[in-house]
Amino acid sequence: MKVAVLFVDFPDAAAQHSTRREAALGLQETEERLERYSYGKLDVEFGVRHGWLRAEQGYRHYLADTPIGDVGLAIDIVREAVQLADDDFDFDGYQQVMVIAPSSHFGGGTAQGGVDTDEGPIARSAVTNSFRLDEDANTVGWSKTAAHELVHGLGLLDMYPFDRSRHNQPDPPTNRIWVPTSFGLMDLLSYFLTNEEDPRLAVTWYWPDGTTSPGYVDSLQYADEMLAWSRWQLGWLKPDQIQCVTDKHTTVTLAPLADPGQGTAMIAIPVSESKLIVIENRRKIGYDTGQEYTDANGGQVTFPGLVTEGILVYTVDTTLENGDLPLKVAGDSGNGLVDGYPILTSRQSVTTHGYTITVISTTPHTTIRVTKNPQ
């Protein structure tokens, strides 16, 4: 996958750092992420044009509504960036264009449509750092965002709801909170209720003077290993790594999804012509180990990825579109709420769509029993 990379700033949001510094915040890690997610099957090549391209208008001129209701930099900035770069950049052979705005002023990202170049049309584009920050900040890494937007160009859908009201939570009881959890690169979301000081949410901050302080996170959104379903869609899982279960009683051993080797990486249970149950084995390896973060004062912390190793079960409805919850964690009736952290450990089970999935063992290669319930 060849991606042309352009850097753009604005008269009223000018970069105060070089494009090489901006690139160092995520470009190499984006490449590594995508190639590791693919188990080495995808070769990512970035063609980089360094130097900030100054947009002709202030950033507000390029804003447009996004499907999630926010306003961000849209396709017009991609078109102008290509026009500004076309005299000294050869777009021949590229499948996508990625425009990067300064992360000191912008965050998040959006996938965009096609763009014309002097060398011909390019079918897909993306903007990394597309939403104006409330206030300017230190530059921050953006590899997950860039990887997320680029795989939209390969066909993957957003798994969070564009209509945020679909995931409204009732007020929690005293001293308890709703904790959002996200799995995979495309953000399979759910929420569970727990104590404010749940030890699974504990983190330690390390300060430049050598002191430490305890804290708690209020979300779990760094279990970033790409879902087995997404990897199957992109052809990164081989057919013999997937076991399709249709018997009433089946026992399967699942290899760790992040590093399955030649083992079974995904169980698929057909429910109808358009719906299925997917089961995968998540371990604290690869991109499920968490995310390191440094704040403006030099404090460092590692936000957790998985807080428990085990089995993730979710349902797929292939009739649903982007942002319309095509995937849901098992036990989610559609509002995002689930009964406890979604990872199943030894002797735990979940029932969905007439099947009960039970974890027999929780070693790295985990044994699962699938039982079709009597109707």
PDB file of all heavy atoms in Angstrom, residues 93-130:
ATOM      1  N   GLY A  93       1.343   5.987  -8.959  1.00  0.00           N
ATOM      2  CA  GLY A  93       1.482   4.710  -8.260  1.00  0.00           C
ATOM      3  C   GLY A  93       0.967   4.689  -6.840  1.00  0.00           C
ATOM      4  O   GLY A  93       0.994   3.635  -6.193  1.00  0.00           O
ATOM      5  N   TYR A  94       0.473   5.818  -6.319  1.00  0.00           N
ATOM      6  CA  TYR A  94      -0.020   5.849  -4.938  1.00  0.00           C
ATOM      7  C   TYR A  94      -1.503   5.492  -4.892  1.00  0.00           C
ATOM      8  O   TYR A  94      -2.285   5.892  -5.761  1.00  0.00           O
ATOM      9  CB  TYR A  94       0.211   7.230  -4.319  1.00  0.00           C
ATOM     10  CG  TYR A  94       1.671   7.484  -3.999  1.00  0.00           C
ATOM     11  CD1 TYR A  94       2.501   8.128  -4.914  1.00  0.00           C
ATOM     12  CD2 TYR A  94       2.216   7.046  -2.800  1.00  0.00           C
ATOM     13  CE1 TYR A  94       3.845   8.344  -4.634  1.00  0.00           C
ATOM     14  CE2 TYR A  94       3.557   7.259  -2.513  1.00  0.00           C
ATOM     15  CZ  TYR A  94       4.363   7.899  -3.425  1.00  0.00           C
ATOM     16  OH  TYR A  94       5.688   8.095  -3.145  1.00  0.00           O
ATOM     17  N   GLN A  95      -1.891   4.741  -3.850  1.00  0.00           N
ATOM     18  CA  GLN A  95      -3.289   4.345  -3.672  1.00  0.00           C
ATOM     19  C   GLN A  95      -4.053   5.287  -2.726  1.00  0.00           C
ATOM     20  O   GLN A  95      -5.271   5.346  -2.759  1.00  0.00           O
ATOM     21  CB  GLN A  95      -3.387   2.919  -3.121  1.00  0.00           C
ATOM     22  CG  GLN A  95      -3.008   1.850  -4.123  1.00  0.00           C
ATOM     23  CD  GLN A  95      -1.526   1.531  -4.073  1.00  0.00           C
ATOM     24  OE1 GLN A  95      -0.923   1.484  -3.005  1.00  0.00           O
ATOM     25  NE2 GLN A  95      -0.926   1.317  -5.224  1.00  0.00           N
ATOM     26  N   GLN A  96      -3.326   5.977  -1.848  1.00  0.00           N
ATOM     27  CA  GLN A  96      -3.968   6.890  -0.912  1.00  0.00           C
ATOM     28  C   GLN A  96      -3.103   8.136  -0.740  1.00  0.00           C
ATOM     29  O   GLN A  96      -1.881   8.098  -0.957  1.00  0.00           O
ATOM     30  CB  GLN A  96      -4.178   6.239   0.459  1.00  0.00           C
ATOM     31  CG  GLN A  96      -5.128   5.047   0.452  1.00  0.00           C
ATOM     32  CD  GLN A  96      -5.688   4.752   1.834  1.00  0.00           C
ATOM     33  OE1 GLN A  96      -6.244   5.622   2.494  1.00  0.00           O
ATOM     34  NE2 GLN A  96      -5.539   3.503   2.267  1.00  0.00           N
ATOM     35  N   VAL A  97      -3.750   9.241  -0.333  1.00  0.00           N
ATOM     36  CA  VAL A  97      -3.061  10.452   0.085  1.00  0.00           C
ATOM     37  C   VAL A  97      -3.418  10.700   1.547  1.00  0.00           C
ATOM     38  O   VAL A  97      -4.602  10.651   1.914  1.00  0.00           O
ATOM     39  CB  VAL A  97      -3.474  11.683  -0.750  1.00  0.00           C
ATOM     40  CG1 VAL A  97      -2.822  12.950  -0.206  1.00  0.00           C
ATOM     41  CG2 VAL A  97      -3.119  11.483  -2.210  1.00  0.00           C
ATOM     42  N   MET A  98      -2.403  10.934   2.381  1.00  0.00           N
ATOM     43  CA  MET A  98      -2.657  11.302   3.772  1.00  0.00           C
ATOM     44  C   MET A  98      -2.103  12.699   4.023  1.00  0.00           C
ATOM     45  O   MET A  98      -0.918  12.947   3.823  1.00  0.00           O
ATOM     46  CB  MET A  98      -2.027  10.301   4.747  1.00  0.00           C
ATOM     47  CG  MET A  98      -2.296  10.667   6.211  1.00  0.00           C
ATOM     48  SD  MET A  98      -1.936   9.327   7.386  1.00  0.00           S
ATOM     49  CE  MET A  98      -0.148   9.149   7.179  1.00  0.00           C
ATOM     50  N   VAL A  99      -2.988  13.604   4.440  1.00  0.00           N
ATOM     51  CA  VAL A  99      -2.613  14.960   4.810  1.00  0.00           C
ATOM     52  C   VAL A  99      -2.504  15.031   6.328  1.00  0.00           C
ATOM     53  O   VAL A  99      -3.405  14.565   7.045  1.00  0.00           O
ATOM     54  CB  VAL A  99      -3.649  15.972   4.294  1.00  0.00           C
ATOM     55  CG1 VAL A  99      -3.414  17.348   4.887  1.00  0.00           C
ATOM     56  CG2 VAL A  99      -3.610  16.032   2.773  1.00  0.00           C
ATOM     57  N   ILE A 100      -1.407  15.596   6.828  1.00  0.00           N
ATOM     58  CA  ILE A 100      -1.169  15.691   8.260  1.00  0.00           C
ATOM     59  C   ILE A 100      -1.077  17.157   8.647  1.00  0.00           C
ATOM     60  O   ILE A 100      -0.252  17.903   8.112  1.00  0.00           O
ATOM     61  CB  ILE A 100       0.123  14.955   8.661  1.00  0.00           C
ATOM     62  CG1 ILE A 100       0.038  13.483   8.253  1.00  0.00           C
ATOM     63  CG2 ILE A 100       0.364  15.070  10.162  1.00  0.00           C
ATOM     64  CD1 ILE A 100       1.319  12.698   8.487  1.00  0.00           C
ATOM     65  N   ALA A 101      -1.938  17.582   9.573  1.00  0.00           N
ATOM     66  CA  ALA A 101      -1.898  18.930  10.134  1.00  0.00           C
ATOM     67  C   ALA A 101      -1.078  18.908  11.423  1.00  0.00           C
ATOM     68  O   ALA A 101      -0.857  17.841  12.010  1.00  0.00           O
ATOM     69  CB  ALA A 101      -3.314  19.438  10.398  1.00  0.00           C
ATOM     70  N   PRO A 102      -0.613  20.063  11.901  1.00  0.00           N
ATOM     71  CA  PRO A 102       0.242  20.067  13.102  1.00  0.00           C
ATOM     72  C   PRO A 102      -0.516  19.587  14.340  1.00  0.00           C
ATOM     73  O   PRO A 102      -1.590  20.092  14.665  1.00  0.00           O
ATOM     74  CB  PRO A 102       0.668  21.530  13.235  1.00  0.00           C
ATOM     75  CG  PRO A 102      -0.283  22.310  12.402  1.00  0.00           C
ATOM     76  CD  PRO A 102      -0.744  21.410  11.314  1.00  0.00           C
ATOM     77  N   SER A 103       0.064  18.591  15.028  1.00  0.00           N
ATOM     78  CA  SER A 103      -0.600  18.013  16.198  1.00  0.00           C
ATOM     79  C   SER A 103      -0.579  18.957  17.391  1.00  0.00           C
ATOM     80  O   SER A 103      -1.225  18.663  18.402  1.00  0.00           O
ATOM     81  CB  SER A 103       0.060  16.679  16.561  1.00  0.00           C
ATOM     82  OG  SER A 103       1.437  16.846  16.821  1.00  0.00           O
ATOM     83  N   SER A 104       0.137  20.062  17.311  1.00  0.00           N
ATOM     84  CA  SER A 104       0.069  21.079  18.363  1.00  0.00           C
ATOM     85  C   SER A 104      -1.249  21.839  18.309  1.00  0.00           C
ATOM     86  O   SER A 104      -1.656  22.465  19.296  1.00  0.00           O
ATOM     87  CB  SER A 104       1.241  22.059  18.217  1.00  0.00           C
ATOM     88  OG  SER A 104       1.290  22.571  16.895  1.00  0.00           O
ATOM     89  N   HIS A 105      -1.936  21.808  17.188  1.00  0.00           N
ATOM     90  CA  HIS A 105      -3.180  22.547  17.002  1.00  0.00           C
ATOM     91  C   HIS A 105      -4.383  21.648  16.731  1.00  0.00           C
ATOM     92  O   HIS A 105      -5.525  22.095  16.919  1.00  0.00           O
ATOM     93  CB  HIS A 105      -3.055  23.515  15.823  1.00  0.00           C
ATOM     94  CG  HIS A 105      -1.944  24.511  15.959  1.00  0.00           C
ATOM     95  ND1 HIS A 105      -1.614  25.121  17.147  1.00  0.00           N
ATOM     96  CD2 HIS A 105      -1.075  25.005  15.047  1.00  0.00           C
ATOM     97  CE1 HIS A 105      -0.613  25.965  16.967  1.00  0.00           C
ATOM     98  NE2 HIS A 105      -0.256  25.898  15.692  1.00  0.00           N
ATOM     99  N   PHE A 106      -4.155  20.420  16.266  1.00  0.00           N
ATOM    100  CA  PHE A 106      -5.249  19.560  15.818  1.00  0.00           C
ATOM    101  C   PHE A 106      -5.057  18.143  16.364  1.00  0.00           C
ATOM    102  O   PHE A 106      -3.941  17.725  16.692  1.00  0.00           O
ATOM    103  CB  PHE A 106      -5.299  19.501  14.290  1.00  0.00           C
ATOM    104  CG  PHE A 106      -5.546  20.820  13.623  1.00  0.00           C
ATOM    105  CD1 PHE A 106      -4.491  21.660  13.309  1.00  0.00           C
ATOM    106  CD2 PHE A 106      -6.829  21.212  13.303  1.00  0.00           C
ATOM    107  CE1 PHE A 106      -4.703  22.881  12.689  1.00  0.00           C
ATOM    108  CE2 PHE A 106      -7.063  22.432  12.682  1.00  0.00           C
ATOM    109  CZ  PHE A 106      -6.002  23.271  12.373  1.00  0.00           C
ATOM    110  N   GLY A 107      -6.153  17.378  16.421  1.00  0.00           N
ATOM    111  CA  GLY A 107      -6.094  15.982  16.837  1.00  0.00           C
ATOM    112  C   GLY A 107      -7.142  15.167  16.088  1.00  0.00           C
ATOM    113  O   GLY A 107      -7.964  15.703  15.349  1.00  0.00           O
ATOM    114  N   GLY A 108      -7.129  13.857  16.314  1.00  0.00           N
ATOM    115  CA  GLY A 108      -8.107  12.988  15.661  1.00  0.00           C
ATOM    116  C   GLY A 108      -7.845  12.851  14.181  1.00  0.00           C
ATOM    117  O   GLY A 108      -6.791  13.235  13.668  1.00  0.00           O
ATOM    118  N   GLY A 109      -8.806  12.275  13.465  1.00  0.00           N
ATOM    119  CA  GLY A 109      -8.610  12.065  12.037  1.00  0.00           C
ATOM    120  C   GLY A 109      -9.921  11.783  11.333  1.00  0.00           C
ATOM    121  O   GLY A 109     -10.942  11.494  11.977  1.00  0.00           O
ATOM    122  N   THR A 110      -9.901  11.881  10.006  1.00  0.00           N
ATOM    123  CA  THR A 110     -11.062  11.554   9.195  1.00  0.00           C
ATOM    124  C   THR A 110     -10.612  10.883   7.908  1.00  0.00           C
ATOM    125  O   THR A 110      -9.565  11.218   7.360  1.00  0.00           O
ATOM    126  CB  THR A 110     -11.876  12.814   8.821  1.00  0.00           C
ATOM    127  OG1 THR A 110     -11.012  13.760   8.201  1.00  0.00           O
ATOM    128  CG2 THR A 110     -12.528  13.432  10.034  1.00  0.00           C
ATOM    129  N   ALA A 111     -11.391   9.922   7.453  1.00  0.00           N
ATOM    130  CA  ALA A 111     -11.168   9.319   6.141  1.00  0.00           C
ATOM    131  C   ALA A 111     -11.927  10.127   5.109  1.00  0.00           C
ATOM    132  O   ALA A 111     -13.021  10.630   5.378  1.00  0.00           O
ATOM    133  CB  ALA A 111     -11.640   7.873   6.133  1.00  0.00           C
ATOM    134  N   GLN A 112     -11.335  10.281   3.940  1.00  0.00           N
ATOM    135  CA  GLN A 112     -11.920  11.104   2.890  1.00  0.00           C
ATOM    136  C   GLN A 112     -12.001  10.289   1.594  1.00  0.00           C
ATOM    137  O   GLN A 112     -11.514   9.168   1.516  1.00  0.00           O
ATOM    138  CB  GLN A 112     -11.097  12.373   2.683  1.00  0.00           C
ATOM    139  CG  GLN A 112     -10.991  13.248   3.930  1.00  0.00           C
ATOM    140  CD  GLN A 112     -12.305  13.869   4.344  1.00  0.00           C
ATOM    141  OE1 GLN A 112     -13.242  13.966   3.560  1.00  0.00           O
ATOM    142  NE2 GLN A 112     -12.387  14.291   5.606  1.00  0.00           N
ATOM    143  N   GLY A 113     -12.591  10.899   0.580  1.00  0.00           N
ATOM    144  CA  GLY A 113     -12.761  10.228  -0.690  1.00  0.00           C
ATOM    145  C   GLY A 113     -11.601  10.448  -1.631  1.00  0.00           C
ATOM    146  O   GLY A 113     -10.470  10.745  -1.222  1.00  0.00           O
ATOM    147  N   GLY A 114     -11.869  10.330  -2.920  1.00  0.00           N
ATOM    148  CA  GLY A 114     -10.824  10.409  -3.921  1.00  0.00           C
ATOM    149  C   GLY A 114     -10.387  11.834  -4.202  1.00  0.00           C
ATOM    150  O   GLY A 114     -11.069  12.803  -3.855  1.00  0.00           O
ATOM    151  N   VAL A 115      -9.211  11.952  -4.844  1.00  0.00           N
ATOM    152  CA  VAL A 115      -8.651  13.256  -5.175  1.00  0.00           C
ATOM    153  C   VAL A 115      -7.917  13.139  -6.507  1.00  0.00           C
ATOM    154  O   VAL A 115      -7.303  12.103  -6.802  1.00  0.00           O
ATOM    155  CB  VAL A 115      -7.716  13.742  -4.041  1.00  0.00           C
ATOM    156  CG1 VAL A 115      -6.555  12.793  -3.849  1.00  0.00           C
ATOM    157  CG2 VAL A 115      -7.236  15.162  -4.285  1.00  0.00           C
ATOM    158  N   ASP A 116      -7.996  14.184  -7.316  1.00  0.00           N
ATOM    159  CA  ASP A 116      -7.305  14.200  -8.599  1.00  0.00           C
ATOM    160  C   ASP A 116      -5.912  14.795  -8.452  1.00  0.00           C
ATOM    161  O   ASP A 116      -5.708  15.768  -7.718  1.00  0.00           O
ATOM    162  CB  ASP A 116      -8.099  15.023  -9.619  1.00  0.00           C
ATOM    163  CG  ASP A 116      -9.392  14.342 -10.027  1.00  0.00           C
ATOM    164  OD1 ASP A 116      -9.410  13.103 -10.077  1.00  0.00           O
ATOM    165  OD2 ASP A 116     -10.380  15.062 -10.275  1.00  0.00           O
ATOM    166  N   THR A 117      -4.952  14.207  -9.161  1.00  0.00           N
ATOM    167  CA  THR A 117      -3.585  14.723  -9.219  1.00  0.00           C
ATOM    168  C   THR A 117      -3.183  14.863 -10.679  1.00  0.00           C
ATOM    169  O   THR A 117      -3.873  14.370 -11.580  1.00  0.00           O
ATOM    170  CB  THR A 117      -2.602  13.782  -8.504  1.00  0.00           C
ATOM    171  OG1 THR A 117      -2.361  12.629  -9.337  1.00  0.00           O
ATOM    172  CG2 THR A 117      -3.146  13.304  -7.166  1.00  0.00           C
ATOM    173  N   ASP A 118      -2.056  15.532 -10.924  1.00  0.00           N
ATOM    174  CA  ASP A 118      -1.560  15.657 -12.298  1.00  0.00           C
ATOM    175  C   ASP A 118      -1.280  14.297 -12.913  1.00  0.00           C
ATOM    176  O   ASP A 118      -1.341  14.129 -14.143  1.00  0.00           O
ATOM    177  CB  ASP A 118      -0.281  16.500 -12.327  1.00  0.00           C
ATOM    178  CG  ASP A 118      -0.563  17.975 -12.078  1.00  0.00           C
ATOM    179  OD1 ASP A 118      -1.742  18.362 -12.110  1.00  0.00           O
ATOM    180  OD2 ASP A 118       0.411  18.729 -11.823  1.00  0.00           O
ATOM    181  N   GLU A 119      -0.975  13.304 -12.071  1.00  0.00           N
ATOM    182  CA  GLU A 119      -0.654  11.970 -12.574  1.00  0.00           C
ATOM    183  C   GLU A 119      -1.888  11.081 -12.686  1.00  0.00           C
ATOM    184  O   GLU A 119      -1.779   9.928 -13.122  1.00  0.00           O
ATOM    185  CB  GLU A 119       0.385  11.304 -11.656  1.00  0.00           C
ATOM    186  CG  GLU A 119       1.769  11.926 -11.717  1.00  0.00           C
ATOM    187  CD  GLU A 119       1.857  13.267 -10.999  1.00  0.00           C
ATOM    188  OE1 GLU A 119       1.111  13.461 -10.010  1.00  0.00           O
ATOM    189  OE2 GLU A 119       2.646  14.127 -11.435  1.00  0.00           O
ATOM    190  N   GLY A 120      -3.047  11.574 -12.262  1.00  0.00           N
ATOM    191  CA  GLY A 120      -4.263  10.780 -12.343  1.00  0.00           C
ATOM    192  C   GLY A 120      -4.981  10.738 -11.002  1.00  0.00           C
ATOM    193  O   GLY A 120      -4.476  11.226  -9.975  1.00  0.00           O
ATOM    194  N   PRO A 121      -6.166  10.146 -10.962  1.00  0.00           N
ATOM    195  CA  PRO A 121      -6.948  10.105  -9.725  1.00  0.00           C
ATOM    196  C   PRO A 121      -6.378   9.113  -8.714  1.00  0.00           C
ATOM    197  O   PRO A 121      -5.816   8.085  -9.082  1.00  0.00           O
ATOM    198  CB  PRO A 121      -8.335   9.679 -10.200  1.00  0.00           C
ATOM    199  CG  PRO A 121      -8.074   8.890 -11.447  1.00  0.00           C
ATOM    200  CD  PRO A 121      -6.883   9.536 -12.104  1.00  0.00           C
ATOM    201  N   ILE A 122      -6.544   9.446  -7.442  1.00  0.00           N
ATOM    202  CA  ILE A 122      -6.234   8.544  -6.332  1.00  0.00           C
ATOM    203  C   ILE A 122      -7.530   8.304  -5.579  1.00  0.00           C
ATOM    204  O   ILE A 122      -8.253   9.243  -5.230  1.00  0.00           O
ATOM    205  CB  ILE A 122      -5.149   9.139  -5.415  1.00  0.00           C
ATOM    206  CG1 ILE A 122      -3.824   9.256  -6.194  1.00  0.00           C
ATOM    207  CG2 ILE A 122      -4.957   8.282  -4.166  1.00  0.00           C
ATOM    208  CD1 ILE A 122      -2.697   9.873  -5.399  1.00  0.00           C
ATOM    209  N   ALA A 123      -7.840   7.038  -5.330  1.00  0.00           N
ATOM    210  CA  ALA A 123      -9.197   6.662  -4.920  1.00  0.00           C
ATOM    211  C   ALA A 123      -9.543   7.067  -3.494  1.00  0.00           C
ATOM    212  O   ALA A 123     -10.705   7.332  -3.191  1.00  0.00           O
ATOM    213  CB  ALA A 123      -9.381   5.153  -5.080  1.00  0.00           C
ATOM    214  N   ARG A 124      -8.556   7.109  -2.601  1.00  0.00           N
ATOM    215  CA  ARG A 124      -8.869   7.336  -1.197  1.00  0.00           C
ATOM    216  C   ARG A 124      -7.882   8.330  -0.610  1.00  0.00           C
ATOM    217  O   ARG A 124      -6.739   8.462  -1.061  1.00  0.00           O
ATOM    218  CB  ARG A 124      -8.801   6.035  -0.400  1.00  0.00           C
ATOM    219  CG  ARG A 124      -9.782   4.976  -0.838  1.00  0.00           C
ATOM    220  CD  ARG A 124     -11.216   5.323  -0.509  1.00  0.00           C
ATOM    221  NE  ARG A 124     -11.424   5.438   0.935  1.00  0.00           N
ATOM    222  CZ  ARG A 124     -12.590   5.725   1.503  1.00  0.00           C
ATOM    223  NH1 ARG A 124     -13.665   5.930   0.740  1.00  0.00           N
ATOM    224  NH2 ARG A 124     -12.713   5.811   2.809  1.00  0.00           N
ATOM    225  N   SER A 125      -8.340   9.009   0.468  1.00  0.00           N
ATOM    226  CA  SER A 125      -7.476   9.948   1.174  1.00  0.00           C
ATOM    227  C   SER A 125      -7.865   9.972   2.647  1.00  0.00           C
ATOM    228  O   SER A 125      -8.902   9.436   3.046  1.00  0.00           O
ATOM    229  CB  SER A 125      -7.579  11.353   0.570  1.00  0.00           C
ATOM    230  OG  SER A 125      -8.897  11.854   0.697  1.00  0.00           O
ATOM    231  N   ALA A 126      -7.025  10.600   3.445  1.00  0.00           N
ATOM    232  CA  ALA A 126      -7.271  10.702   4.883  1.00  0.00           C
ATOM    233  C   ALA A 126      -6.628  11.976   5.400  1.00  0.00           C
ATOM    234  O   ALA A 126      -5.657  12.478   4.823  1.00  0.00           O
ATOM    235  CB  ALA A 126      -6.704   9.489   5.620  1.00  0.00           C
ATOM    236  N   VAL A 127      -7.182  12.488   6.498  1.00  0.00           N
ATOM    237  CA  VAL A 127      -6.578  13.620   7.204  1.00  0.00           C
ATOM    238  C   VAL A 127      -6.257  13.159   8.617  1.00  0.00           C
ATOM    239  O   VAL A 127      -7.145  12.703   9.348  1.00  0.00           O
ATOM    240  CB  VAL A 127      -7.510  14.845   7.250  1.00  0.00           C
ATOM    241  CG1 VAL A 127      -6.818  15.992   7.986  1.00  0.00           C
ATOM    242  CG2 VAL A 127      -7.909  15.268   5.848  1.00  0.00           C
ATOM    243  N   THR A 128      -4.998  13.253   8.992  1.00  0.00           N
ATOM    244  CA  THR A 128      -4.582  12.988  10.368  1.00  0.00           C
ATOM    245  C   THR A 128      -4.393  14.327  11.064  1.00  0.00           C
ATOM    246  O   THR A 128      -3.739  15.223  10.520  1.00  0.00           O
ATOM    247  CB  THR A 128      -3.280  12.169  10.392  1.00  0.00           C
ATOM    248  OG1 THR A 128      -3.539  10.872   9.862  1.00  0.00           O
ATOM    249  CG2 THR A 128      -2.745  12.030  11.799  1.00  0.00           C
ATOM    250  N   ASN A 129      -4.942  14.449  12.275  1.00  0.00           N
ATOM    251  CA  ASN A 129      -5.024  15.727  13.005  1.00  0.00           C
ATOM    252  C   ASN A 129      -5.995  16.651  12.271  1.00  0.00           C
ATOM    253  O   ASN A 129      -5.603  17.635  11.648  1.00  0.00           O
ATOM    254  CB  ASN A 129      -3.644  16.377  13.170  1.00  0.00           C
ATOM    255  CG  ASN A 129      -2.647  15.485  13.872  1.00  0.00           C
ATOM    256  OD1 ASN A 129      -3.039  14.685  14.714  1.00  0.00           O
ATOM    257  ND2 ASN A 129      -1.383  15.602  13.538  1.00  0.00           N
ATOM    258  N   SER A 130      -7.269  16.314  12.363  1.00  0.00           N
ATOM    259  CA  SER A 130      -8.285  17.032  11.580  1.00  0.00           C
ATOM    260  C   SER A 130      -9.229  17.879  12.421  1.00  0.00           C
ATOM    261  O   SER A 130      -9.968  18.693  11.864  1.00  0.00           O
ATOM    262  CB  SER A 130      -9.109  16.033  10.756  1.00  0.00           C
ATOM    263  OG  SER A 130      -9.780  15.123  11.604  1.00  0.00           O
TER     264      SER A 130
END
